[in-house]
């Protein structure tokens, strides 16, 4: 995978997390304050997944 695809992939993962949080909000699954905070953090957690994958791949490439 080229590095040029990294930025759009982070954006797509962020939008997917935002969509999941909006669906949870619309379905009424966010009753408590802690679940609402978790739903707000969900897009940023999803956006961190490609960053984590890139870090692990670069660490594995340097090890081998």
């Amino acid at each position: 995978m080229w590095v040029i695809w990294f930025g759009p992939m982070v954006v797509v993962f962020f939008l997917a997390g935002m969509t999941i949080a909006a669906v949870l909000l619309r379905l009424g699954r966010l009753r408590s304050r802690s679940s609402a905070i978790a739903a707000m953090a969900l897009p940023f957690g999803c956006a961190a997944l490609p960053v984590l994958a890139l870090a692990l791949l670069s660490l594995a490439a340097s090890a081998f």
Side-chain angles (χ1 to χ4, degrees):
M1 180 176 71
W2 299 324
V3 178
I4 198 166
W5 287 95
F6 181 67
M9 190 165 51
V10 170
V11 171
V12 167
F13 272 65
F14 181 82
L15 290 175
M18 184 86 72
T19 304
I20 294 169
V23 167
L24 288 174
L25 178 67
R26 184 70 182 148
L27 289 176
R29 304 277 187 204
L30 306 177
R31 301 255 184 238
S32 67
R33 185 175 179 92
S34 62
S35 64
I37 292 172
M40 286 189 295
L42 184 65
F44 299 102
C46 288
L49 290 175
V51 176
L52 180 65
L54 183 66
L56 289 175
L57 285 173
S58 64
L59 181 66
S62 68
F64 297 114

